[in-house]
Amino acid sequence: MDDQDLLEQARGALDSAYVPYSDYRVGAAIETSDGTVFTGCNIETANYSNSLHAEETAVAKAVSAGHREFTRLAVTSSARDGVTPCGMCRQTLAEFCGEELRILCDDDDTEEYTLGALLPAAISRDTLEDANDGAAGDRKD
Ligand code: THU
Ligand code: ZN
């Protein structure tokens, strides 16, 4: 599957977006290391806070199906405006993906980034393990 195919899958998820508040549809497609693709859309709620982002939905579908290794992510919006994953989604991606993850953003020309470029110096599991000197659970405070 080439980059345009993955973007097309992300575009296909736009139809399912539930966006009564923003009217801004976002679609995502994430490819696993075995080539399986999971799509996601944004799903809004009346309290706003519980709203799910398209990238989160795609990652949740993939992880809940047993996949934790990813190679590429494609993101689009109904405006085809080159939307990039927000800060929260970047952190969610960093939980499972390395800095080399390719992120394709849909625009007149596809914009390509890496996760490392979009989220440099991310906090990670290593940060916490280093801080605990490998003794997580032994702290008294
Ligand atoms: N949105 C996403 O789905 N992904 C992002 O990373 C950026 C924002 C959604 C959330 C909300 O439903 C709408 O776009 C407007 O912010
Ligand atoms: Zn987001």
Side-chain angles (χ1 to χ4, degrees), residues 38-107:
F38 291 87
T39 59
C41 61
N42 51 340
I43 304 169
E44 298 181 345
T45 57
N47 70 348
Y48 287 24
S49 318
N50 288 16
S51 298
L52 299 173
H53 292 193
E55 304 89 322
E56 284 185 282
T57 308
V59 169
K61 284 169 68 176
V63 173
S64 59
H67 298 266
R68 295 182 184 174
E69 288 181 19
F70 305 105
T71 49
R72 271 186 304 180
L73 171 76
V75 188
T76 189
S77 81
S78 39
R80 281 272 189 106
D81 51 4
V83 65
T84 62
C86 75
M88 182 182 75
C89 288
R90 294 176 196 192
Q91 188 67 49
T92 298
L93 291 163
E95 185 66 28
F96 298 102
C97 310
E99 294 191 330
E100 67 286 350
L101 177 78
R102 297 177 61 224
I103 299 178
L104 312 169
C105 300
D106 206 6
D107 210 332

